[in-house]
Amino acid sequence: MTNSEQDRWTRVKGRLRSSVGDDVYSSWFARMDLESVQQESVRLSVPTTFLKSWIQAHYAERVLSCFQAEMPEVHRIDLTVRSAARALVQPKEPPQLLDARRPERPDGRAAVEARMPAATPVSTSHDALGGSPLDPRLTFASFVVGRSNTLAHAAARQVAEGRRGDPVMFNPLYIHAGVGLGKTHLLQAVTWAGNAAGERKVLYLTAEKFMYGFVAALKTQTALAFKEALRGIDVLVIDDLQFLQGKSTQAEFCHTLNALIDAGRQVVIAADRPPSDLESLDDRVRSRLAGGLVVEMGTLGEELRLGILRSRVAAARVHHASFEVPEAVLDYLARSITHNGRDLEGAINRLLAHSKLNAQPVTLEMAEREVRDLIRPQEPKRIKIEDIQRVVARQYNVSRSDLLSSRRTANVVRPRQVAMYLAKTLTLRSLPEIGRRFGGRDHTTVLHAVRKIEALVAKDTALSEEVESLKRQLQE
Ligand code: ADP
Ligand code: MG
């Protein structure tokens, strides 16, 4: 390659970067190399079939026009995959800085044209794109709306009702909540409703499925079929994101996320914690996740629990018309099973099984006996330091890692002291242990925090109320 080709290539990359933005550029183009220029055709290479497919699907024209701006004679771009052998023996190159000059390459390194026969087997990618199984009962019709989930429900509905080509209002939509509070139900409802409308394809994947199926398929050679299939997805729904692990999986997830969002496709995510607490994810992914709409679903209030029980009974009655649960029993269950939607479901299933097997009507006495083990003992809940950190971080709108960090700005120092104070008063942990759990601090620091907050609480009513409210949230 001549020096002037090298210069022009550098300028083409510069144009591309400013046209797509830094984020997209480094996700997709940082490892794209110029292999050769021959009259009106240019040959470029990337290290994986996945990158090749995405660039072809989404950026082919953009790349061509950046070339034409520098070399008007160019009319054709051939994008190829650098051979696996070469990728294996050569260490990965760092992303090229725009003005970096590289020595010319020996010719022997020319790229190998990726072979994509029309008859590529579709099955692997197809299976991966089949998504995770859906439960037909988890629809909007059976989802009960209450105070703790109004916003999440409204956002999910909005997403489900979108049409192809509509502007995407919040992307990604990120829903977080503890176990059994309805995340999976809501996500599957979006999937059912979206697919039922017929116009858009909505794909539901658990993070595990994403890891083992999706990423595997991305790496296989069936990229063409896969690209087509992926291109057909309008809404990607990922459940239990907290289980997404491993550097390369996360890198692929990051690519997928960026690509879909940049292409105006909707992404919906659920996890058991906010993006800022997904500690194993890298900062760029976290900030991308936090850049959409982040909604928390709170604990199920008594009214909502009652609603869920009613909805479950109604569903059971479709197949078991004689199944009846007296109001008093529903009340009892709603009051005593307090934490988890799964236990509510379990309770109704047991009553149903019992009344069927014994051909007996459901009574309060029977209910008390059948669901005894689902009822939490009334002994005070054991509070964990992580819970304290989570609740305090949420209250003061900082991240858990801020609390553990060495940052000393006022907006972090006070919440950190409050959290240490709560750790000392609500758990049996020693001062050194608490110090250790707060980013390796000395026990005297913890002691200082505890004294400080004790003193403040005594004279500052606002703070004292805040602390009381935090205690209530933790003891709930
Ligand atoms: P998560 O995924 O957050 O752990 P799930 O979505 O699996 O929770 O919910 C657990 C159970 O509670 C399911 O049976 C679900 O149908 C039920 N459930 C939770 N919230 C609601 C709700 N708002 N309306 C109806 N059922 C709900
Ligand atoms: Mg779930």
Side-chain angles (χ1 to χ4, degrees):
M1 200 184 308
T2 65
N3 275 346
S4 92
E5 274 171 5
Q6 193 61 257
D7 285 347
R8 282 187 291 176
W9 169 229
T10 302
R11 285 199 300 271
V12 170
K13 286 193 289 184
R15 282 178 185 276
L16 197 53
R17 184 189 278 271
S18 47
S19 145
V20 297
D22 282 346
D23 257 6
V24 174
Y25 184 87
S26 50
S27 288
W28 298 108
F29 300 109
R31 290 187 290 161
M32 185 166 81
D33 288 333
L34 178 62
E35 297 291 341
S36 64
V37 183
Q38 263 156 10
Q39 286 136 22
E40 55 178 41
S41 85
V42 167
R43 180 180 285 233
L44 300 172
S45 75
V46 285
T48 67
T49 16
F50 174 59
L51 277 175
K52 171 183 149 118
S53 305
W54 271 108
I55 293 173
Q56 274 177 340
H58 300 288
Y59 299 103
E61 278 169 28
R62 193 90 66 120
V63 173
L64 182 59
S65 66
C66 290
F67 264 100
Q68 287 175 331
E70 295 293 332
M71 310 182 210
E73 70 281 9
V74 169
H75 284 290
R76 212 185 115 165
I77 307 272
D78 289 321
L79 188 58
T80 65
V81 178
R82 295 195 281 272
S83 78
R86 191 188 116 191
L88 281 179
V89 288
Q90 297 225 333
K92 267 195 195 136
E93 292 168 41
Q96 291 294 304
L97 291 176
L98 270 185
D99 54 359
R101 297 286 169 87
R102 284 179 300 160
E104 229 176 279
R105 292 178 163 179
D107 239 336
R109 288 175 57 183
V112 199
E113 185 81 49
R115 259 164 309 193
M116 299 266 181
T120 313
V122 221
S123 60
T124 29
S125 54
H126 211 81
D127 290 346
L129 284 171
S132 300
L134 293 178
D135 181 337
R137 295 169 311 170
L138 303 182
T139 61
F140 279 119
S142 64
F143 190 84
V144 185
V145 184
R147 196 147 37 98
S148 58
N149 61 23
T150 316
L151 183 57
H153 172 261
R157 270 227 104 100
Q158 176 98 31
V159 164
E161 283 162 13
R163 324 222 112 218
R164 182 169 283 166
D166 276 0
V168 177
M169 286 176 60
F170 15 80
N171 213 4
L173 168 61
Y174 186 105
I175 295 171
H176 65 101
V179 172
L181 300 183
K183 299 182 296 294
T184 296
H185 191 144
L186 204 50
L187 258 49
Q188 296 207 1
V190 167
T191 312
W192 284 118
N195 283 331
E199 201 200 26
R200 299 193 305 171
K201 176 148 174 56
V202 185
L203 183 69
Y204 171 87
L205 292 169
T206 59
E208 267 160 345
K209 179 91 180 185
F210 183 88
M211 279 191 283
Y212 301 118
F214 200 73
V215 173
L218 293 182
K219 288 177 178 159
T220 62
Q221 296 302 306
T222 60
L224 191 63
F226 193 78
K227 177 194 75 184
E228 282 308 315
L230 203 57
R231 197 149 58 152
I233 297 172
D234 298 290
V235 183
L236 180 66
V237 179
I238 297 193
D239 202 354
D240 285 326
L241 188 69
Q242 72 275 10
F243 294 133
L244 193 77
Q245 273 158 7
K247 270 260 167 291
S248 73
T249 309
Q250 294 187 357
E252 296 294 2
F253 173 71
C254 180
H255 282 320
T256 310
L257 189 69
N258 284 337
L260 288 171
I261 292 178
D262 293 335
R265 309 295 167 78
Q266 177 75 54
V267 178
V268 183
I269 287 167
D272 69 352
R273 62 199 81 172
S276 54
D277 287 0
L278 288 168
E279 269 133 21
S280 66
L281 281 189
D282 82 47
D283 286 345
R284 276 203 324 151
V285 186
R286 261 188 292 185
S287 70
R288 189 103 218 206
L289 291 174
L293 177 65
V294 177
V295 199
E296 178 172 19
M297 291 199 288
T299 48
L300 307 168
E302 191 173 320
E303 226 171 295
L304 187 52
R305 299 199 293 269
L306 197 56
I308 293 174
L309 288 166
R310 284 191 211 285
S311 143
R312 286 283 156 188
V313 173
R317 281 172 58 94
V318 172
H319 297 288
H320 309 277
S322 64
F323 181 55
E324 277 182 47
V325 184
E327 275 301 301
V329 172
L330 291 176
D331 258 8
Y332 163 72
L333 295 176
R335 263 184 293 111
S336 43
I337 302 176
T338 52
H339 280 85
N340 190 319
R342 281 181 208 165
D343 292 348
L344 295 173
E345 182 187 2
I348 296 298
N349 287 343
R350 283 192 206 175
L351 296 186
L352 178 63
H354 192 84
S355 77
K356 283 274 142 191
L357 291 175
N358 303 312
Q360 276 174 1
V362 176
T363 62
L364 195 53
E365 196 198 350
M366 162 190 164
E368 278 173 0
R369 203 174 49 238
E370 286 302 307
V371 305
R372 192 171 296 148
D373 61 302
L374 296 178
I375 296 171
R376 307 237 166 166
Q378 291 305 304
E379 72 186 55
K381 199 175 135 197
R382 269 191 55 195
I383 295 168
K384 291 187 285 192
I385 291 188
E386 289 88 76
D387 295 333
I388 295 177
Q389 292 168 339
R390 189 171 42 75
V391 169
V392 170
R394 188 174 62 199
Q395 172 93 10
Y396 292 99
N397 213 4
V398 293
S399 71
R400 230 189 106 210
S401 33
D402 284 336
L403 294 179
L404 308 193
S405 74
S406 52
R407 288 182 48 207
R408 301 175 121 279
T409 47
N411 68 325
V412 205
V413 168
R414 183 52 46 82
R416 186 185 293 135
Q417 289 176 331
V418 168
M420 289 185 194
Y421 165 81
L422 291 172
K424 184 63 201 146
T425 45
L426 300 177
T427 75
L428 297 173
R429 306 274 167 225
S430 65
L431 294 174
E433 168 72 1
I434 295 173
R436 204 174 58 70
R437 303 284 289 277
F438 276 81
R441 292 184 150 73
D442 193 73
H443 74 278
T444 53
T445 311
V446 182
L447 185 60
H448 172 74
V450 172
R451 298 221 166 115
K452 176 94 192 171
I453 299 299
E454 267 169 3
L456 283 175
V457 160
K459 54 179 199 239
D460 178 343
T461 35
L463 182 69
S464 137
E465 272 163 26
E466 243 164 55
V467 168
E468 281 312 308
S469 139
L470 286 166
K471 282 188 184 168
R472 269 198 308 281
Q473 290 177 53
L474 285 160
Q475 277 156 345
E476 212 170 53

